[in-house]
Amino acid sequence: MEQTFFKFDTHGYLNTLAVGAYLFKKALETEDPALSVYRKLYNFLKFGNYPAGLTFPIEFYIYDGNKKREVMEIRWPSSFLISTGVRDIFQQEGLTGWQPYDVIVKDKHGETVPGYCGFSVTGRWHTVFPVEGETPDFYHTEYVVPGALLCTQRVIDVLRKYKLRDFTVTPCILVDNDGFGNHHTS
């Protein structure tokens, strides 16, 4: 039996502007136990599991890349910022299972780069496969692809409609081929 689902991410181009969070950097550089929770900051932001006491906006700094796109790479698996234009499209189209968060992005000279927000996937699903009308448009599951961002066909349709090319949607096929109910991804 084969079923298809879709992984959602960015292209990950190395010339795309890449950002890091000051709070994450500070947590790695200090022994302060109060900051140690922020060593997991990118995972918290990626899935919208914000720890108590985290304040917004989150401050980011550009540390690499030279190409401004609809995304800014965090260079942490499936973690990125999106332009406010993409945010507006996703909201206008009523896509579910995600939320923006406020950010401040500083360039290499300390100047603010406007027009970006964070992107958290808050949708959860108990299996990897979407069920029409029940599954959030963006979701994640620990069932088969731990940590991956997944999406429905509706997201693909919105990306095509607005010609948003800074994202990748990869069809994955789950194959049950061992006769014991163990699933294998191809």
Side-chain angles (χ1 to χ4, degrees), residues 145-177:
V145 190
L149 305 182
L150 305 174
C151 71
T152 62
Q153 180 65 46
R154 191 160 173 253
V155 172
I156 297 167
D157 296 342
V158 168
L159 296 177
R160 286 181 181 149
K161 177 179 176 181
Y162 292 94
K163 296 177 175 61
L164 299 174
R165 294 184 174 97
D166 290 333
F167 300 97
T168 63
V169 178
T170 309
C172 301
I173 299 173
L174 193 68
V175 180
D176 180 5
N177 62 3

Side-chain angles (χ1 to χ4, degrees), residues 104-165:
I104 295 173
V105 178
K106 301 280 186 169
D107 67 15
K108 293 177 182 181
H109 305 290
E111 299 294 318
T112 299
V113 178
Y116 287 89
C117 64
F119 178 80
S120 294
V121 170
T122 58
R124 312 287 192 274
W125 192 243
H126 61 280
T127 67
V128 74
F129 302 106
V131 174
E132 189 85 27
E134 294 179 25
T135 309
D137 295 307
F138 292 100
Y139 63 104
H140 69 92
T141 177
E142 298 302 315
Y143 181 63
V144 174
V145 190
L149 305 182
L150 305 174
C151 71
T152 62
Q153 180 65 46
R154 191 160 173 253
V155 172
I156 297 167
D157 296 342
V158 168
L159 296 177
R160 286 181 181 149
K161 177 179 176 181
Y162 292 94
K163 296 177 175 61
L164 299 174
R165 294 184 174 97

Side-chain angles (χ1 to χ4, degrees), residues 60-146:
F60 286 88
Y61 59 95
I62 295 172
Y63 69 88
D64 196 16
N66 57 19
K67 178 93 169 149
K68 190 173 181 182
R69 301 182 194 272
E70 295 293 331
V71 297
M72 284 191 183
E73 299 288 345
I74 294 178
R75 301 224 171 106
W76 190 266
S78 302
S79 298
F80 47 89
L81 307 181
I82 60 174
S83 71
T84 53
V86 169
R87 177 202 62 202
D88 295 347
I89 289 169
F90 287 178
Q91 289 175 334
Q92 173 187 318
E93 291 293 328
L95 294 178
T96 61
W98 74 284
Q99 68 184 22
Y101 58 89
D102 292 333
V103 301
I104 295 173
V105 178
K106 301 280 186 169
D107 67 15
K108 293 177 182 181
H109 305 290
E111 299 294 318
T112 299
V113 178
Y116 287 89
C117 64
F119 178 80
S120 294
V121 170
T122 58
R124 312 287 192 274
W125 192 243
H126 61 280
T127 67
V128 74
F129 302 106
V131 174
E132 189 85 27
E134 294 179 25
T135 309
D137 295 307
F138 292 100
Y139 63 104
H140 69 92
T141 177
E142 298 302 315
Y143 181 63
V144 174
V145 190

